[in-house]
Amino acid sequence: MNCLRAMFAALSKHALPILNAPLAFGMSTRRHLANLLIALALLLIAGFFAPLTQASDSPTVLIPQQANPQEVTAEDGYRILKSKPFLPADFHDRHLEQLWTVWPEPWKTKYAQAAPHEKRQLLFSYYGLIEDPQQKSAESSKENAVSGTPALGYLKTESGNWVMTCLACHGGKVAGQSQAGLPNSHFALQTLAEDLRQVKLANKETLAHLETASLTIPLNVTNGTTNSVIFGVILGTFRRPDMSVDLARTVPPVIHHDVDAPPFWNVKYKTSLYCDGFAPKYHRPLMQFMLLPVNGQSTIYSWEDDFRAIEKWIESVEAPAYPFPVDDTLAASGRVVFEKNCASCHGTYGQGTLVSDREFPADTPLHALTTAKRDVVKYEQKVIPISDVGTDPVRLQALTATHRQWMKDGWMSDYGNHPVIIEPAGYVAPPLVGIWASAPYFHNGSVPTLWHVLHPENRPAVWKRTENGYDTNKVGLEVEEFGRLPTGIKTPAERRRYFDTKLKGKSSVGHDYPSALTADEKKALLEYLKTL
């Protein structure tokens, strides 16, 4: 009965207010209400009630934890990520093969007329799914070519269910080549959840957790970014300090906002996690996105060795080397500019990648190009006050002292034995290893190229990326720039393909330090940044 009351309370607080929300892009009132009510009915009957009734933990339960943690390796961590599900399944092969039926034109017709291997390409392109570089693509298969092997950010069960992993956001591609540990700046998570909801409702099937959550919690406003910070806040709300589930807790007011996933290869150089550096660099905070109520306290505890291994793998990831030509003379001049103007915050990197490191066949896979022969990186993590760096403050404001204290007081930080910063002053100046590959830039992903970072006055108000293009002149995403959002956009899915810096939390202002450099200094610095 307590679970039932908690369920209705949650619905009242988070689902019913959507009735008063603005209708999206011409959706009729009748359709808006029908979609909502059908979804909520399924949510109540099947998709929400059963997991919650199974997930109640007693606050007095004490579960013994391992005195001697298992020895784990980086290889173990990647294997676990690719094979062990920590979340409920998102969809089945059959749902993936039906998604095109809810697409707008001309996408729907293009898909219907495509060859089997082209259908998979279209599907992955539409949702920002990434091919796994270490698995043979299903393109050559005549049967089940659409579903085939799972995308890089998913694992697939024997029954054909796809389960999301950390690599959905932290496995991306640059210049058309994919790599685990690279941010996925293509992922259309909100669009995928909305379309899966339509398909499953048409099939009269139970909705998965993201399809229900996305009714009231935006998963992302712009493709390639994510509202993951707020996911963590909401999931953590229903946990006591010892990670037992308490559904009677009230979700606090939240500020939804998107952030850009950071590259994994820089974690090894840092002393804490996240763009404000508030969380300890420790395996337990990595688990906060697995805190769905269905994963009770004992389950979370049982996964600790798995996440020790995953943390080891994250710290083993190497950045890819810049695969295009570099003017070494100009880059050498840029090193002087960098060490004079940038190194005090971002560290030093010596001469960068050696010329010999860039001598490789043109078809060398991206994951095989590493900067392992670079000079030793010397980086000391620093938080730059928000009043100084001047970038968008919403991320800093959205994560409250209450949530940070929750982490400090509980199991996530080993009850404070790993330091948690309750009131960070600003954002971390990150290490710049592999900076060429990790566009877009800033914590919110608002700046598409390094040239735009160095030219604050020329940052576009609105931009749209190409799928696989790379701008070697500006060093970053190949984009089309706009003064404002183009007219004629008819659907939310299409709208999410544009990054609009006028939206809350998406400003590209700040980090104006390059304005003090001359044009020649900026040119040389840009060349040097390619080598890091």
Side-chain angles (χ1 to χ4, degrees):
M1 184 59 68
N2 288 337
C3 287
L4 188 61
R5 283 196 295 267
M7 177 176 60
F8 279 106
L11 285 171
S12 297
K13 184 175 181 62
H14 299 288
L16 297 183
I18 205 171
L19 294 172
N20 297 319
L23 300 184
F25 292 91
M27 180 185 292
S28 70
T29 302
R30 178 174 296 179
R31 182 182 172 192
H32 177 75
L33 293 177
N35 285 348
L36 176 64
L37 293 175
I38 292 171
L40 290 181
L42 285 173
L43 175 67
L44 285 167
I45 295 169
F48 198 76
F49 181 77
L52 293 191
T53 58
Q54 297 166 7
S56 298
D57 285 331
S58 167
T60 61
V61 170
L62 295 177
I63 299 175
Q65 298 181 58
Q66 293 173 300
N68 298 306
Q70 179 182 340
E71 284 296 321
V72 292
T73 66
E75 291 75 17
D76 292 332
Y78 192 71
R79 174 184 53 77
I80 290 166
L81 267 181
K82 297 295 294 179
S83 63
K84 184 169 182 176
F86 297 104
L87 295 170
D90 289 286
F91 52 87
H92 188 271
D93 281 339
R94 68 177 181 278
H95 300 131
L96 201 66
E97 294 165 2
Q98 295 172 351
L99 279 169
W100 70 277
T101 63
V102 301
W103 287 2
E105 293 292 357
W107 283 87
K108 182 184 290 187
T109 297
K110 189 175 182 180
Y111 185 96
Q113 297 173 349
H117 72 279
E118 294 172 332
K119 292 180 187 295
R120 179 178 172 96
Q121 291 173 353
L122 281 169
L123 190 82
F124 274 44
S125 175
Y126 194 83
Y127 296 113
L129 301 175
I130 307 298
E131 291 285 6
D132 188 334
Q134 296 184 359
Q135 290 194 30
K136 184 178 180 180
S137 172
E139 291 180 357
S140 61
S141 173
K142 293 183 180 180
E143 296 183 6
N144 300 321
V146 173
S147 49
T149 57
L152 179 58
Y154 289 83
L155 60 86
K156 188 159 72 168
T157 67
E158 291 183 359
S159 61
N161 284 314
W162 289 47
V163 182
M164 185 181 290
T165 75
C166 302
L167 299 179
C169 294
H170 294 279
K173 60 180 178 177
V174 60
Q177 291 203 53
S178 55
Q179 177 175 334
L182 177 73
N184 185 356
S185 58
H186 295 78
F187 198 20
L189 181 57
Q190 179 75 21
T191 299
L192 178 59
E194 290 175 352
D195 289 357
L196 283 167
R197 186 165 63 238
Q198 288 191 62
V199 166
K200 291 182 183 181
L201 290 177
N203 295 344
K204 298 181 174 60
E205 295 181 86
T206 300
L207 301 181
H209 60 289
L210 289 180
E211 295 139 26
T212 53
S214 61
L215 282 165
T216 56
I217 303 170
L219 305 182
N220 66 336
V221 174
T222 305
N223 293 351
T225 59
T226 173
N227 190 24
S228 60
V229 173
I230 299 305
F231 304 165
V233 171
I234 293 173
L235 292 173
T237 295
F238 297 111
R239 297 282 173 160
R240 302 182 185 92
D242 65 355
M243 294 299 104
S244 56
V245 177
D246 181 1
L247 295 174
R249 295 185 173 212
T250 302
V251 176
V254 294
I255 302 174
H256 295 298
H257 65 288
D258 288 345
V259 294
D260 183 43
F264 275 166
W265 57 71
N266 277 332
V267 173
K268 64 172 67 71
Y269 304 111
K270 301 177 73 176
T271 56
S272 60
L273 298 179
Y274 306 125
C275 64
D276 57 4
F278 94 95
K281 191 169 77 170
Y282 182 46
H283 61 277
R284 289 181 183 176
L286 303 178
M287 302 173 72
Q288 63 182 302
F289 303 108
M290 313 302 156
L291 296 181
L292 272 68
V294 71
N295 294 330
Q297 181 196 53
S298 59
T299 299
I300 296 299
Y301 285 178
S302 73
W303 289 341
E304 190 164 11
D305 277 337
D306 294 328
F307 279 85
R308 285 192 180 95
I310 290 169
E311 182 191 22
K312 280 198 173 185
W313 174 74
I314 289 172
E315 295 209 35
S316 77
V317 175
E318 293 287 348
Y322 187 74
F324 307 109
V326 173
D327 183 331
D328 289 306
T329 301
L330 186 60
S333 298
R335 174 185 175 183
V336 175
V337 177
F338 181 90
E339 292 184 350
K340 180 180 178 181
N341 297 277
C342 313
S344 61
C345 291
H346 291 289
T348 59
Y349 306 86
Q351 65 182 18
T353 306
L354 302 175
V355 174
S356 60
D357 293 331
R358 297 198 300 273
E359 295 175 355
F360 48 80
D363 59 351
T364 303
L366 187 67
H367 64 83
L369 308 177
T370 70
T371 53
K373 295 182 180 179
R374 72 172 66 255
D375 294 341
V376 175
V377 174
K378 296 179 181 177
Y379 171 80
E380 181 180 346
Q381 183 173 308
K382 294 182 179 179
V383 173
I384 310 303
I386 189 65
S387 58
D388 188 344
V389 69
T391 48
D392 193 297
V394 171
R395 162 63 178 79
L396 196 63
Q397 298 163 350
L399 200 54
T400 65
T402 300
H403 179 74
R404 300 179 206 271
Q405 191 70 47
W406 167 84
M407 182 173 286
K408 182 176 182 178
D409 292 343
W411 183 83
M412 281 288 165
S413 67
D414 193 20
Y415 302 94
N417 286 322
H418 293 265
V420 175
I421 308 302
I422 303 302
E423 294 185 356
Y427 297 124
V428 172
L432 302 183
V433 177
I435 189 68
W436 74 271
S438 59
Y441 302 104
F442 292 3
H443 68 276
N444 58 2
S446 60
V447 182
T449 73
L450 287 175
W451 185 90
H452 289 107
V453 172
L454 299 180
H455 296 80
E457 69 282 2
N458 295 120
R459 294 171 189 164
V462 178
W463 52 269
K464 180 184 180 183
R465 68 169 303 164
T466 63
E467 182 172 1
N468 292 319
Y470 188 85
D471 191 330
T472 57
N473 293 317
K474 293 185 176 179
V475 190
L477 306 182
E478 181 183 71
V479 299
E480 186 176 2
E481 300 182 16
F482 305 87
R484 59 183 177 83
L485 195 67
T487 58
I489 295 175
K490 298 179 180 179
T491 67
E494 185 180 1
R495 166 69 183 77
R496 296 183 195 110
R497 297 179 184 276
Y498 294 83
F499 196 107
D500 187 351
T501 63
K502 296 182 177 66
L503 298 178
K504 184 173 183 177
K506 293 185 172 293
S507 173
S508 62
V509 302
H511 194 275
D512 295 333
Y513 313 116
S515 297
L517 302 178
T518 68
D520 286 343
E521 287 174 326
K522 292 177 184 178
K523 183 177 180 180
L525 177 57
L526 186 63
E527 199 71 9
Y528 177 65
L529 292 175
K530 297 175 181 178
T531 73
L532 301 188

